[in-house]
């Protein structure tokens, strides 16, 4: 009987929570309807979006409505704010061209207002988007423009962020000495500022650098340093990224059992965060892992999941990787027709 009563209580608590959530939602929607001509509606959207964090479809719909309403009210402070928020979501969801569009909208407004700190921040964001689009020349241009403004403002945290970003560009270009130089400069600043989020980010990038140079034990050391800080600060995105990076190192060290555990731990968080680019990377990595185990049915399923999400996002890198993996799996099982077609497409 105790077990039965416990479940009833839990059920009632869920109903009360749902009812309260719905009541707040309805109240905010009514405020927006009644105050479409003043800023109370725009402020209500801010609270409404907090309720919709876990629902990407409704979040996107409502934040676009907030941007349009800001334009109608000629309230460009809110338009810039919501454009920036939407750009951040698009970047997280892997929709980089949409992220670029809304970062540029916000940047234009802040440039008109001569808001130097925001201009520097958004130029750094655009550099990051161009980096993810593999346009490194454009990325470097934005990063350097951002850092120049931050130096003028003596914004040490901003400078550290720009240095870290430049380090990543050199890492992707395989200029490892320059990458190391910028990461060290960035780490020195974030340590001076006691910025644990920044320290976790740079430690993670040190790990990435040592993976590239095949110093796997050093990579694991820095990934674990990053993980400690992310866990301390409950940075779920950071934790999921480090789990994925640790899994990749363990795979390279042929510790496949533990690699699989870390892939799955990362995937669980990335699904919760709706981090689709992260999901593509994990599905592709797991597909290779199961291919090596000769579990071809599971490997094909995972590579197809990666391919589907990559196709939805027009994520060329993800599409290439999943197609290549599928081609190799089909070759392994003697399906040469599909293997050839996928490899040719790749």
């Amino acid at each position: 009987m105790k077990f039965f009563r416990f479940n009833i209580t839990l059920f009632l608590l869920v109903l009360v929570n749902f009812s309260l959530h719905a009541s707040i939602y309805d109240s905010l929607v009514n405020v927006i309807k009644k105050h479409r001509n003043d800023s109370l509606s725009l402020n209500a959207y801010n609270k409404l979006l907090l309720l919709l964090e876990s629902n990407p479809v409704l979040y996107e719909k409502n934040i676009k409505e907030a941007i349009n309403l800001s334009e109608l009210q000629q309230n460009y402070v809110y338009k810039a704010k919501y454009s920036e928020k939407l750009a951040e979501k698009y970047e997280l969801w892997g929709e980089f061209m949409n992220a670029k569009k809304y970062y540029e909208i916000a940047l234009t407004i802040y440039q008109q207002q001569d808001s130097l700190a925001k201009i520097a921040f958004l130029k750094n964001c655009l550099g990051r988007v161009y980096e993810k689009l593999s346009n490194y020349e454009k990325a470097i241009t934005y990063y350097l423009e951002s850092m120049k403004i931050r130096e003028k403002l003596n914004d040490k945290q901003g400078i550290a962020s720009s240095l870290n970003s430049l380090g990543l560009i050199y890492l992707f270009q395989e200029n490892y000495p320059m990458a190391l130089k910028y990461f060290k400069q960035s780490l020195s600043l974030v340590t001076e500022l006691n910025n644990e989020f920044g320290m976790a980010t740079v430690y993670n990038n040190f790990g990435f650098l040592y993976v590239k140079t095949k110093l796997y034990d050093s990579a694991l050391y820095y990934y674990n340093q990053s993980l400690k800080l992310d866990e301390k600060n409950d940075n779920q995105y950071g934790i999921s990224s480090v789990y994925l990076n640790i899994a990749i190192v363990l795979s390279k060290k042929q510790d496949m059992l533990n690699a699989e555990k870390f892939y799955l731990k990362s995937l669980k968080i990335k699904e919760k965060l709706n981090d689709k680019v992260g999901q593509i990377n994990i599905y592709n990595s797991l597909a290779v892992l199961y291919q090596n185990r000769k579990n071809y049915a599971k490997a094909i399923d995972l590579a197809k999941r990666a391919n589907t999400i990559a196709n939805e996002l027009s994520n060329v890198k993800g599409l290439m990787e999943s197609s290549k993996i599928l081609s190799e799996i089909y070759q392994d099982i003697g399906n040469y027709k599909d293997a050839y077609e996928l490899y040719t497409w790749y």
Side-chain angles (χ1 to χ4, degrees):
M1 287 299 292
K2 284 185 179 179
F3 182 74
F4 178 73
R5 284 198 299 270
F6 172 76
N7 275 297
I8 288 293
T9 303
L10 184 61
F11 177 69
L12 289 172
L13 283 171
V14 170
L15 280 180
V16 169
N17 186 54
F18 177 81
S19 177
L20 181 62
H21 184 96
S23 174
I24 296 170
Y25 179 90
D26 290 340
S27 175
L28 290 169
V29 169
N30 286 333
V31 170
I32 291 166
K33 285 179 180 177
K34 290 177 182 178
H35 295 274
R36 292 195 64 81
N37 296 320
D38 64 67
S39 61
L40 282 175
S41 58
L42 300 177
N43 188 48
Y45 267 118
N46 195 44
K47 296 173 183 175
L48 185 64
L49 291 168
L50 290 173
L51 294 178
L52 299 175
E53 281 285 348
S54 60
N55 189 325
V57 175
L58 279 178
Y59 188 98
E60 182 182 17
K61 175 180 177 292
N62 279 274
I63 198 168
K64 283 185 173 178
E65 288 176 359
I67 291 168
N68 290 335
L69 190 57
S70 301
E71 177 68 35
L72 286 172
Q73 292 184 21
Q74 296 185 341
N75 191 325
Y76 296 107
V77 171
Y78 270 106
K79 184 178 179 182
K81 176 181 177 179
Y82 288 130
S83 295
E84 182 185 327
K85 274 179 172 285
L86 181 54
E88 287 171 351
K89 286 295 182 186
Y90 277 135
E91 187 179 353
L92 176 63
W93 298 336
E95 299 182 39
F96 300 129
M97 292 307 292
N98 279 330
K100 173 180 169 292
K101 172 185 173 182
Y102 283 95
Y103 278 136
E104 286 174 343
I105 290 171
L107 177 61
T108 299
I109 295 169
Y110 286 123
Q111 285 174 327
Q112 290 167 352
Q113 296 172 351
D114 200 28
S115 178
L116 290 180
K118 274 295 185 180
I119 292 169
F121 173 76
L122 288 164
K123 281 182 179 285
N124 197 71
C125 291
L126 281 164
R128 191 172 61 239
V129 169
Y130 277 112
E131 175 190 316
K132 290 173 179 177
L133 290 167
S134 300
N135 188 338
Y136 299 134
E137 184 179 344
K138 198 84 171 175
I140 287 173
T141 298
Y142 274 107
Y143 285 146
L144 289 173
E145 287 177 0
S146 174
M147 189 160 71
K148 187 176 180 181
I149 297 169
R150 285 166 165 174
E151 286 173 340
K152 182 179 178 181
L153 296 171
N154 195 29
D155 174 9
K156 289 187 177 182
Q157 180 51 53
I159 294 167
S161 177
S162 295
L163 288 168
N164 180 64
S165 298
L166 285 164
L168 281 172
I169 293 292
Y170 284 112
L171 180 61
F172 295 142
Q173 293 180 327
E174 299 183 356
N175 187 338
Y176 302 130
M178 286 295 287
L180 185 61
K181 172 189 169 184
Y182 280 111
F183 288 151
K184 282 182 175 179
Q185 289 178 2
S186 180
L187 182 62
S188 177
L189 277 176
V190 291
T191 303
E192 176 190 333
L193 297 167
N194 196 30
N195 181 338
E196 293 186 339
F197 180 85
M199 290 163 67
T201 301
V202 183
Y203 282 141
N204 186 65
N205 291 337
F206 269 114
F208 195 17
L209 171 64
Y210 287 121
V211 170
K212 288 285 189 180
T213 53
K214 300 183 179 179
L215 296 170
Y216 299 130
D217 289 337
S218 294
L220 283 175
Y221 170 80
Y222 281 104
Y223 283 147
N224 279 305
Q225 293 298 107
S226 178
L227 184 60
K228 286 176 188 175
L229 292 170
D230 283 330
E231 288 175 336
K232 179 182 175 182
N233 294 293
D234 194 31
N235 178 7
Q236 292 297 303
Y237 184 84
I239 292 168
S240 70
S241 296
V242 176
Y243 280 162
L244 173 57
N245 292 337
I246 289 173
I248 290 168
V249 175
L250 292 171
S251 293
K252 291 180 181 295
K253 289 169 69 72
Q254 300 302 308
D255 185 355
M256 296 305 177
L257 187 62
N258 283 314
E260 181 182 14
K261 289 178 183 176
F262 275 96
Y263 279 132
L264 294 174
K265 286 168 74 171
S266 178
L267 180 61
K268 186 177 180 181
I269 300 173
K270 288 190 179 296
E271 286 175 338
K272 184 179 176 182
L273 295 173
N274 198 40
D275 178 2
K276 292 184 178 179
V277 174
Q279 290 173 45
I280 293 168
N281 293 335
I282 296 171
Y283 284 138
N284 277 329
S285 297
L286 281 170
V288 172
L289 188 148
Y290 284 112
Q291 178 192 7
N292 292 334
R293 290 182 181 173
K294 302 189 187 305
N295 187 342
Y296 297 119
K298 185 75 172 175
I300 289 169
D301 175 60
L302 289 162
K304 282 184 174 179
R305 286 193 212 180
N307 194 273
T308 298
I309 299 171
N311 192 49
E312 289 171 359
L313 299 178
S314 298
N315 185 294
V316 176
K317 184 179 178 182
L319 279 169
M320 287 174 65
E321 186 66 18
S322 58
S323 299
K324 182 173 180 285
I325 292 166
L326 279 168
S327 171
E328 290 170 351
I329 297 169
Y330 285 134
Q331 184 174 338
D332 287 348
I333 63 176
N335 183 348
Y336 300 117
K337 180 177 180 293
D338 285 343
Y340 176 77
E341 286 181 0
L342 279 160
Y343 190 76
T344 301
W345 190 88
Y346 158 75

